[in-house]
């Protein structure tokens, strides 16, 4: 079920990880639960799917014993943290929006404007660094706002492959522009 590390594995730094069969089984059970949990909190289905996908990516790469012993609870925790991160990001954007006073707009503080500009540049570079197919799928989904099913049909690939490419893009971009996933 799980590949646990033994004494030799612990000494060599080999970490316990979920095998793909176990991961698939957990996905089939937990993904619908997470989507249902998010349905009450996030209106857009694609956004819910993105959060579920990111949670499973974090579970898959996790070396935590908690992730292995109770993946359902671990996934719930990840989703709650992702929701909190979204709220914080939304609040930050709201604070950085220019305030309309009559016909005049209050400009952003120079340090905030520079930080936003730097983040945008790192984001663009991260996207440019993606493998071609992953970049294409990610841009179709995020920029063109096309759903997974439509992307799959347009590119002649499975929905699961679309999910994989979007997940890979999210992980790579996150690693490029921010703290490690």
């Amino acid at each position: 079920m799980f590949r646990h590390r033994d004494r030799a594995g612990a000494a060599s730094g080999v970490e316990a990880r979920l095998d793909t069969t176990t991961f698939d089984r957990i996905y089939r059970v937990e993904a619908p639960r997470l989507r249902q949990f998010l349905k009450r909190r996030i209106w857009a289905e694609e956004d819910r799917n993105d959060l579920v996908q990111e949670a499973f990516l974090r579970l898959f790469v996790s070396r935590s014993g908690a992730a292995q012993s109770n993946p359902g609870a671990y996934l719930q925790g990840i989703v709650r943290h992702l929701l909190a991160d979204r709220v914080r990001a939304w609040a930050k954007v709201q604070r950085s929006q220019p305030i309309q006073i009559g016909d005049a707009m209050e400009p952003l503080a120079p340090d905030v404007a520079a930080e936003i500009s730097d983040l945008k540049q790192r984001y663009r570079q991260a996207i440019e660094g993606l493998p071609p197919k992953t970049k294409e799928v990610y841009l179709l989904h995020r920029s063109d706002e096309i759903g997974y099913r439509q992307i799959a049909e347009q590119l002649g690939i499975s929905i699961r492959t679309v999910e994989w490419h979007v997940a890979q893009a999210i992980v790579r971009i996150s690693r490029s522009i921010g703290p490690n996933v």
Side-chain angles (χ1 to χ4, degrees):
M1 186 160 146
F2 295 112
R3 283 186 260 156
H4 294 286
R5 59 184 180 165
D6 57 10
R7 291 182 194 271
S12 68
V14 176
E15 300 290 336
R17 288 259 179 129
L18 294 173
D19 66 307
T20 54
T21 304
T22 303
F23 184 81
D24 285 342
R25 183 183 51 75
I26 292 168
Y27 185 87
R28 280 193 275 287
V29 171
E30 297 297 334
R33 290 180 185 165
L34 293 173
R35 285 189 188 97
Q36 187 62 35
F37 168 78
L38 290 169
K39 192 172 190 175
R40 296 183 299 260
R41 291 158 179 84
I42 298 177
W43 180 77
E45 182 180 5
E46 292 293 330
D47 289 346
R48 290 191 305 262
N49 289 336
D50 287 347
L51 284 179
V52 169
Q53 191 170 25
E54 187 167 352
F56 273 94
L57 275 170
R58 290 182 185 201
L59 172 69
F60 190 74
V61 299
S62 175
R63 289 174 170 80
S64 166
Q68 312 239 341
S69 63
N70 193 347
Y74 190 80
L75 286 163
Q76 279 286 330
I78 291 171
V79 167
R80 289 179 191 280
H81 282 98
L82 291 172
L83 280 171
D85 289 346
R86 259 189 186 210
V87 169
R88 280 192 291 275
W90 178 83
K92 186 175 182 179
V93 166
Q94 296 305 309
R95 285 192 304 266
S96 67
Q97 294 293 325
I99 300 170
Q100 177 105 16
I101 303 173
D103 292 335
M105 297 287 274
E106 183 180 308
L108 293 174
D111 59 330
V112 173
E115 186 178 336
I116 290 171
S117 177
D118 179 56
L119 183 61
K120 285 179 181 178
Q121 180 61 30
R122 287 186 293 159
Y123 179 72
R124 282 187 214 103
Q125 288 173 339
I127 289 174
E128 288 304 315
L130 294 173
K133 185 60 108 183
T134 301
K135 178 180 172 183
E136 178 183 20
V137 170
Y138 179 76
L139 290 175
L140 284 170
H141 177 60
R142 291 292 170 105
S143 295
D144 298 344
E145 298 180 353
I146 299 175
Y148 289 176
R149 183 177 314 276
Q150 292 81 11
I151 293 170
E153 290 169 0
Q154 181 177 336
L155 299 179
I157 57 178
S158 71
I159 293 174
R160 198 125 179 176
T161 302
V162 171
E163 291 174 345
W164 184 87
H165 281 293
V166 172
Q168 286 297 307
I170 290 169
V171 167
R172 288 172 182 242
I173 291 168
S174 296
R175 286 182 181 153
S176 296
I177 66 172
N180 289 335
V181 173

